[in-house]
Amino acid sequence: MFRAFKNLLLIAFGCLSLAACGNHSAEEETVENLSPAPTIEGGFSQKIDGSGQIGDALPLVGKAFGELPVIGEEDAVYCNLPENVRGWDDIIPLCVDPLYGILYYMDYGGDYKIHAIYNGESQTFLELPGKRLFCRGGKLYFLLESYNRFGFEGAKSGNIAEYDPVTGEVKVLLDQTFSSIVVYQDMIYCRCEGKEKPLGEGRGYIIEEDYWFYFFDTGELVARKTAEREYVMDFRRYGEYFLAAALRSDDENSHYDVQAGTELRKWDGEQGTFWDDLQLKPFGRHYVKDGNFYWLNSKGFHQWNPVSGEDTIRAWKLGMPDQYVLVGDWLLSEEHLLVNTEEGKVEKWIIADEKLQLVHELYTDGEKIYVIVGFLDHEMEEGSILRQIQIRKSEINGYELLLEKIQK
């Protein structure tokens, strides 16, 4: 597709098309001696016997609520808040449905089932574990995920599931399995992760990946066209276009590509606007919301309008965190910093828990902030949990983040 180069993120985005999307069999997902990761509270693991078989498979069924009153409107493009969707590998454990006013969340680190807050009460909606939650047309879309703990009846880990809260019906959209998805109003952008491919000469490796588009209007699954060395398509959207990193050959070494700017591309490769001075990298922690581009760099936190060209920059000279979330005027980063973006005031924060100190992922429902937090020096799968946070002023430590179970 294109060759790796030294100093840009495009190595991570090096996509070599596979012949077919990897359909993982149930046998592959139930390997002998598989041991589940530990949980702090409320977690459980279904037993795996000596032959590697998971017992008591979970049924594809959900809670039926009957007719639900419509109280809001959906975004014309996005099916989750854009600031929650900033990477292919994030869990995305929650999503707000603006039509019915339901907050769905997957109890990561607990029972791993999908719960929801509706009418002020937290309820178990689905006896299913999953990740990458999106809401569209009053329905919930997500990837089934076994977490090496669960089995499914009539489905596989990596299938795209659709849940209707009115009828309680759960169905699998496709036989194919995927490693990640991003759901939009018109399509689902799907990624399928393959094998490691050595680059040779001690240059490391890349992961072979395959990308697909599922169209809601036709039910078709179409493979993404390869772009050779012309551009690298992102999963973020601006209207009907996807963002893309435009490429050119490096002046010093024609074997490598460098980014020439940022452009817009449709799913089939049709080119839109090109900005030669806009360097939004693939896998960068930027997003598009309400027609504005948001990103963080050495100059500050940007809010740029591509129509007017106005770039509002909020001061930020405190490093480049991988995880951050902006809610109102407050920008919370994984680096234990809380910044008032209007005043430029920086505060330190600590987590009011002696053990859970490592922030893995940050999310918001537009008002509250949520965090997947775990132990220091542990991988995210090892004891991390999803919690809602409350920010409290501390006379000694600046601000404290109180970890709470998700509630209204």
Side-chain angles (χ1 to χ4, degrees), residues 131-181:
K131 65 179 181 179
R132 311 286 294 186
L133 276 59
F134 295 87
C135 296
R136 174 188 179 274
K139 297 179 181 179
L140 175 68
Y141 294 86
F142 60 99
L143 274 183
L144 290 171
E145 173 61 55
S146 71
Y147 294 105
N148 293 333
R149 301 161 186 260
F150 308 104
F152 308 102
E153 291 182 356
K156 298 184 289 291
S157 184
N159 282 153
I160 302 174
E162 175 192 87
Y163 164 64
D164 186 340
V166 174
T167 64
E169 179 185 7
V170 179
K171 68 179 183 180
V172 174
L173 293 186
L174 298 163
D175 291 334
Q176 287 87 345
T177 59
F178 302 99
S179 58
S180 186
I181 59 171

Side-chain angles (χ1 to χ4, degrees), residues 256-301:
Y256 295 109
D257 296 317
V258 294
Q259 185 171 352
T262 298
E263 62 183 333
L264 300 179
R265 293 274 180 172
K266 289 187 178 179
W267 70 270
D268 59 1
E270 179 183 326
Q271 188 179 29
T273 306
F274 168 75
W275 298 284
D276 59 0
D277 57 346
L278 184 59
Q279 299 284 329
L280 296 180
K281 305 292 193 297
F283 280 157
R285 291 284 168 175
H286 54 271
Y287 58 93
V288 181
K289 185 175 182 179
D290 299 328
N292 295 311
F293 289 38
Y294 294 82
W295 74 91
L296 189 62
N297 65 10
S298 59
K299 294 182 180 179
F301 188 73

Side-chain angles (χ1 to χ4, degrees), residues 180-194:
S180 186
I181 59 171
V182 180
V183 179
Y184 295 105
Q185 294 292 349
D186 54 349
M187 68 176 68
I188 303 179
Y189 194 3
C190 312
R191 184 187 74 170
C192 187
E193 190 172 291

Side-chain angles (χ1 to χ4, degrees), residues 24 40 47 53 60 82 92 98 116-117 122 132-133 136 183 223 231 237 248 265 270 286 313 347 359 361 363 367:
H24 305 297
I40 295 176
K47 293 182 179 179
Q53 297 299 310
L60 290 171
I92 313 184
I117 293 176
S122 180
R132 311 286 294 186
L133 276 59
R136 174 188 179 274
V183 179
Y231 66 93
R237 288 271 293 270
R248 63 172 176 80
R265 293 274 180 172
E270 179 183 326
H286 54 271
I313 304 176
E347 298 280 1
V359 172
E361 296 180 5
Y363 298 94
E367 297 178 358

Side-chain angles (χ1 to χ4, degrees), residues 126-405:
L126 281 167
E127 299 279 341
L128 291 171
K131 65 179 181 179
R132 311 286 294 186
L133 276 59
F134 295 87
C135 296
R136 174 188 179 274
K139 297 179 181 179
L140 175 68
Y141 294 86
F142 60 99
L143 274 183
L144 290 171
E145 173 61 55
S146 71
Y147 294 105
N148 293 333
R149 301 161 186 260
F150 308 104
F152 308 102
E153 291 182 356
K156 298 184 289 291
S157 184
N159 282 153
I160 302 174
E162 175 192 87
Y163 164 64
D164 186 340
V166 174
T167 64
E169 179 185 7
V170 179
K171 68 179 183 180
V172 174
L173 293 186
L174 298 163
D175 291 334
Q176 287 87 345
T177 59
F178 302 99
S179 58
S180 186
I181 59 171
V182 180
V183 179
Y184 295 105
Q185 294 292 349
D186 54 349
M187 68 176 68
I188 303 179
Y189 194 3
C190 312
R191 184 187 74 170
C192 187
E193 190 172 291
K195 298 179 181 179
E196 296 179 359
K197 181 178 178 63
L199 294 173
E201 301 178 0
R203 292 184 295 160
Y205 63 90
I206 60 174
I207 302 294
E208 291 184 329
E209 294 171 334
D210 204 6
Y211 295 88
W212 302 77
F213 298 103
Y214 170 80
F215 295 93
F216 282 106
D217 58 350
T218 64
E220 289 184 288
L221 183 67
V222 180
R224 192 184 77 178
K225 294 182 178 180
T226 58
E228 300 300 334
R229 298 177 64 176
E230 187 179 353
Y231 66 93
V232 177
M233 183 183 288
D234 207 322
F235 57 83
R236 279 156 276 243
R237 288 271 293 270
Y238 179 70
E240 61 181 331
Y241 291 90
F242 288 91
L243 301 187
L247 305 181
R248 63 172 176 80
S249 296
D250 183 66
D251 294 334
E252 298 180 359
N253 191 333
S254 61
H255 293 293
Y256 295 109
D257 296 317
V258 294
Q259 185 171 352
T262 298
E263 62 183 333
L264 300 179
R265 293 274 180 172
K266 289 187 178 179
W267 70 270
D268 59 1
E270 179 183 326
Q271 188 179 29
T273 306
F274 168 75
W275 298 284
D276 59 0
D277 57 346
L278 184 59
Q279 299 284 329
L280 296 180
K281 305 292 193 297
F283 280 157
R285 291 284 168 175
H286 54 271
Y287 58 93
V288 181
K289 185 175 182 179
D290 299 328
N292 295 311
F293 289 38
Y294 294 82
W295 74 91
L296 189 62
N297 65 10
S298 59
K299 294 182 180 179
F301 188 73
H302 296 251
Q303 177 182 328
W304 179 68
N305 186 291
V307 177
S308 66
E310 181 180 358
D311 188 9
T312 301
I313 304 176
R314 300 174 173 95
W316 178 276
K317 300 179 180 179
L318 303 167
M320 300 293 290
D322 182 57
Q323 288 285 337
Y324 67 87
V325 66
L326 176 67
V327 179
D329 293 334
W330 287 99
L331 191 150
L332 180 76
S333 85
E334 64 178 343
E335 298 176 317
H336 291 244
L337 296 173
L338 185 65
V339 181
N340 186 311
T341 58
E342 292 301 320
E343 300 176 1
K345 186 177 182 181
V346 180
E347 298 280 1
K348 283 280 190 179
W349 60 261
I350 63 170
I351 296 177
D353 188 296
E354 293 182 358
K355 297 180 178 179
L356 299 171
Q357 290 290 316
L358 182 60
V359 172
H360 292 289
E361 296 180 5
L362 287 162
Y363 298 94
T364 181
D365 60 9
E367 297 178 358
K368 299 183 178 70
I369 299 175
Y370 304 83
V371 60
I372 294 181
V373 61
F375 300 110
L376 293 173
D377 301 322
H378 283 68
E379 297 295 328
M380 194 170 94
E381 297 81 6
E382 300 174 343
S384 299
I385 56 176
L386 174 67
R387 285 294 181 263
Q388 174 181 306
I389 66 171
Q390 183 181 122
I391 301 174
R392 181 177 67 184
K393 180 69 176 178
S394 170
E395 294 181 359
I396 300 175
N397 299 311
Y399 284 85
E400 287 185 327
L401 304 187
L402 305 180
L403 302 178
E404 301 176 342
K405 288 188 175 181

